[in-house]
Amino acid sequence: MRLFVFRGFIFLQLFAALSAQANSQYFDIPVWTGDEESCPTPRSIQFNGEVFRSPAKSEGVDWVGVLPGDGIANVVEFDKAVFVLTEENSETRGFLISCIYKTVEERYLKMRPNTGNRHDEIMWIVRPSSWKRSGDFSSTRILVCADKAERGCAFFLK
């Protein structure tokens, strides 16, 4: 009988924890399941003569960027991603300003997800531990991620 009660108690605790994880008010994460986006890898970025592009995971979205000036530039390295928090008391909700890359010519390319006409979408950071408050900006709402892993600077589009 004690074993049965103990197992029931363990099951109840596990169920309570799983229920809390599904609700965003406790963990500041989106409730839906969807495609996790992240900054494209340098090898996935293609230059078509005017615009740099990379496919995204979300339907109807792609990554775009332009370099000012002339010439063709090869993207060689991911530098960082910049995110701005837009909601009070949230450590994960806001907008991705850009993913920044270095080119072979030591220039910087900024890329953003092109969501079409959905300009006001809130985004959620997937792994807050990868994002740090930026020392380059005066605002405490600007986060930077320099994680070079393929999905290190991940987020969800709403």
Side-chain angles (χ1 to χ4, degrees), residues 42-106:
R43 69 181 176 275
S44 72
I45 299 171
Q46 302 296 316
F47 183 66
N48 71 0
E50 296 179 9
V51 177
F52 290 86
R53 292 193 179 275
S54 182
K57 293 177 188 166
S58 300
E59 186 176 328
V61 178
D62 63 341
W63 288 87
V64 294
V66 291
L67 275 175
D70 295 331
I72 297 173
N74 293 320
V75 178
V76 294
E77 181 183 11
F78 171 73
D79 185 50
K80 63 186 169 188
V82 182
F83 192 91
V84 62
L85 298 171
T86 57
E87 296 185 13
E88 290 292 326
N89 303 318
S90 175
E91 296 296 317
T92 61
R93 289 182 290 217
F95 295 95
L96 181 76
I97 295 173
S98 62
C99 293
I100 303 170
Y101 300 85
K102 289 182 184 176
T103 67
V104 73
E105 296 87 8
E106 295 292 319

